[in-house]
Amino acid sequence: MELIENLPFETERVIAGRARIGMVVLASDYTVEREMRRLLALPGVDVFHARIANSPEITPDTLRAMGPLIANTAELILPGDTLDVLAYACTSASMTIGPDAIANYLHSAKPEAKATNPAHAAFAAFKALSARRIAVLAPYSREVNEFVQRAMEEAGFSVPVFGSFNESRDPTVAAITTASLKAAVARITRDHSIDAVFVSCTSIRIADDLADIEADLGIPVTSSNHALAWHCLRLAGIDDKMPGNGRLYSV
């Protein structure tokens, strides 16, 4: 047998040639990866996930418990290599722990990557849409909803109306029907002067229907996953317009 070693070779960045996005996803989340595949469907854009241990019961205590785990989980994404953007995909935890604290956890794992989370992404989306008065739809308990509302108001936005399904379990939230979501959005926007709607929670399945809901309402509509995917693209320097994804993806 002839053994030939150290053969010459060249490399090229084919996978993730335009953007390499890392994402820390909750172990209990059914929805993020599915919606990201749709929203980030651009040539050369690839997403790499790692799942963080969490309780399927969403409470302020279970949300805070994830904080110390974020950096170690993020380090599991392409170890020894770099990312363009690194995201933590939990809205309620980002609002409860604090968007800036989440960014610090992410930067400690991948200091070269631009960091984001659904809170930062939503705030950036509202600014891009020139929206200040936001109607919020969420699945959470009142305790968690209060953290979300407070974080939005501290970021400079007004929340004239906040609707909730009052459901704390991720598996149930992921199964909420499209008809229920549309009815809830219609209810919270009735008789209120608002600039945009924000559907808060990465487990909610709504990305496929956002453009239609937006057309019916006549105002911008975004969600946790919808805003997060858009923000990841913009942070990666990709400004492609994707009007089929709603008004946000045209700014």
Side-chain angles (χ1 to χ4, degrees):
M1 180 193 75
E2 181 183 10
L3 178 62
I4 303 174
E5 296 183 304
N6 300 318
L7 291 169
F9 63 89
E10 297 177 344
T11 65
E12 58 180 340
R13 185 166 161 171
V14 177
I15 298 174
R18 292 184 73 192
R20 186 181 290 173
I21 298 169
M23 194 159 294
V24 175
V25 178
L26 270 60
S28 62
D29 197 301
Y30 291 73
T31 309
V32 170
E33 289 122 331
R34 177 183 182 276
E35 295 203 329
M36 290 299 162
R37 283 192 292 270
R38 178 194 184 286
L39 294 166
L40 298 175
L42 290 172
V45 176
D46 286 284
V47 186
F48 305 89
H49 304 95
R51 286 193 164 236
I52 187 169
N54 75 294
S55 168
E57 291 283 348
I58 303 302
T59 70
D61 287 341
T62 62
L63 295 171
R64 291 189 196 96
M66 279 187 280
L69 307 177
I70 293 173
N72 288 342
T73 305
E75 288 173 353
L76 300 175
I77 303 172
L78 303 185
D81 211 339
T82 60
L83 296 168
D84 298 304
V85 179
L86 178 58
Y88 170 66
C90 181
T91 319
S92 51
S94 297
M95 302 281 196
T96 301
I97 297 170
D100 292 335
I102 298 293
N104 290 336
Y105 285 129
L106 296 175
H107 278 137
S108 69
K110 294 282 187 178
E112 79 288 346
K114 294 179 180 177
T116 187
N117 56 68
H120 272 153
F123 300 160
F126 301 155
K127 290 175 183 176
L129 294 165
S130 299
R132 286 291 168 188
R133 293 172 58 82
I134 315 298
V136 179
L137 174 63
Y140 320 118
S141 66
R142 179 176 295 184
E143 224 181 349
V144 176
N145 290 335
E146 289 172 352
F147 279 103
V148 173
Q149 179 179 351
R150 188 180 307 122
M152 292 179 64
E153 290 174 344
E154 288 176 352
F157 303 98
S158 171
V159 183
V161 55
F162 197 124
S164 176
F165 297 111
N166 198 22
E167 173 54 55
S168 63
R169 285 185 55 79
D170 261 348
T172 305
V173 172
I176 295 174
T177 65
T178 298
S180 297
L181 293 169
K182 287 183 175 179
V185 170
R187 174 64 185 85
I188 68 170
T189 55
R190 191 184 307 149
D191 302 325
H192 286 282
S193 174
I194 55 173
D195 302 321
V197 176
F198 176 53
V199 182
S200 179
C201 186
T202 58
S203 283
I204 287 181
R205 297 175 298 108
I206 199 169
D208 289 347
D209 304 293
L210 278 181
D212 290 340
I213 296 172
E214 185 177 82
D216 290 341
L217 290 178
I219 57 174
V221 181
T222 189
S223 70
S224 295
N225 293 336
H226 186 257
L228 185 60
W230 168 83
H231 201 218
C232 285
L233 290 173
R234 297 303 183 259
L235 288 176
I238 296 175
D239 60 0
D240 298 38
K241 304 299 185 283
M242 302 167 69
N245 285 342
R247 202 176 302 185
L248 180 60
Y249 282 69
S250 295
V251 298

